[in-house]
Amino acid sequence: MGGPGAAGGGAAEAARILLADDHALVRSGVRLILDAEPDLQVVAEAGDGAEAVALARRDPELDLAVLDIAMPRSTGLQAARELARLRPGLRILMLTMYDSEQYFFEALRAGACGYVLKSVADRDLVQACRAALRDEPFIYPGAETALIRTWLDRFREGRALPDRPITEREEEILKLVAEGHTSKEIGDILVISPKTVERHRANILQKLGLRDRLELTRYAIRVGLIEP
């Protein structure tokens, strides 16, 4: 891979970047920012997390994936988890509108090494990409004080980070339910039986203290699995 050494090498090949966001206009803007840099090049674009994973499978030369969090079919966090398993050497950045401690920690759990807000992408994204390619973490500046305070408070109180309320499989099913898919459709997508889908759905409702699809959908919007 040529990208990681590009930032100081002058003649080195530009880093190959996969960009995933379900809004074409956002992808276009982000691509303009990245392609303007001699050491960075967007070579693939995806409109959802599943497409991002498929593209990464086909291109072993990718150096970096820049993923939106809220996308259809599969979120950026879900895609990051799968990419971290499939391609351990691929660096991952989350690009998001959510200024959220919860999402930040979920991104780290998923295998991301950086978290960039869309509102300041023109300022932070290039720096974040170069940090990721050097295997260095990137935290958007406004979050540092709050995050450090959270870690220190948890350390002093002897508390670990909170467990995820539902499993990865339950999260996949919750997202598909919220997108309006039937149990049969979800079963076909995930290659499981409709009965298994219904069992997972019942577990999700119980774990989250919710009653029906409407409340599941509201929850999915609130945690960034789907957009309003």
Side-chain angles (χ1 to χ4, degrees), residues 14-37:
R16 294 170 58 82
I17 299 173
L18 163 65
L19 173 61
D21 193 293
D22 57 317
H23 295 103
L25 194 60
V26 172
R27 291 201 308 272
S28 177
V30 171
R31 183 167 198 150
L32 281 174
I33 293 170
L34 297 180
D35 284 351
E37 303 299 321

Side-chain angles (χ1 to χ4, degrees), residues 34-174:
L34 297 180
D35 284 351
E37 303 299 321
D39 55 326
L40 305 172
Q41 182 185 12
V42 176
V43 298
E45 292 187 29
D48 60 57
E51 186 182 1
V53 172
L55 288 171
R57 284 178 182 272
R58 292 202 294 267
D59 187 348
E61 298 301 315
L62 286 174
D63 298 302
L64 173 67
V66 179
L67 309 173
D68 184 23
I69 284 185
M71 293 188 289
R73 292 177 67 202
S74 175
T75 69
L77 292 172
Q78 290 169 332
R81 292 182 200 120
E82 192 163 354
L83 289 173
R85 287 192 288 260
L86 291 172
R87 297 280 309 281
L90 181 66
R91 284 76 162 191
I92 300 170
L93 277 180
M94 306 309 300
L95 179 63
T96 177
M97 69 174 71
Y98 298 105
D99 184 355
S100 163
E101 175 187 312
Q102 176 190 346
Y103 289 135
F104 174 78
F105 286 128
E106 283 294 334
L108 293 185
R109 283 195 185 100
C113 57
Y115 192 94
V116 181
L117 293 180
K118 288 182 180 180
S119 59
V120 289
D122 57 335
R123 184 192 72 195
D124 290 347
L125 184 57
V126 169
Q127 181 185 349
C129 288
R130 289 175 178 153
L133 292 164
R134 294 192 301 267
D135 280 332
E136 296 173 3
F138 180 88
I139 305 172
Y140 60 99
E144 290 174 356
T145 301
L147 291 170
I148 290 168
R149 185 183 300 120
T150 297
W151 277 102
L152 289 174
D153 287 347
R154 288 186 179 281
F155 178 77
R156 279 196 294 266
E157 296 168 13
R159 292 185 292 139
L161 287 175
D163 292 332
R164 300 178 72 244
I166 57 177
T167 67
E168 288 181 24
R169 173 61 89 182
E170 288 168 346
E171 185 180 276
E172 288 177 324
I173 289 170
L174 168 58

Side-chain angles (χ1 to χ4, degrees), residues 202-214:
N203 288 338
I204 295 165
L205 289 169
Q206 183 178 22
K207 284 182 177 182
L208 299 178
L210 304 176
R211 292 173 297 181
D212 52 29
R213 180 194 289 268
L214 179 59

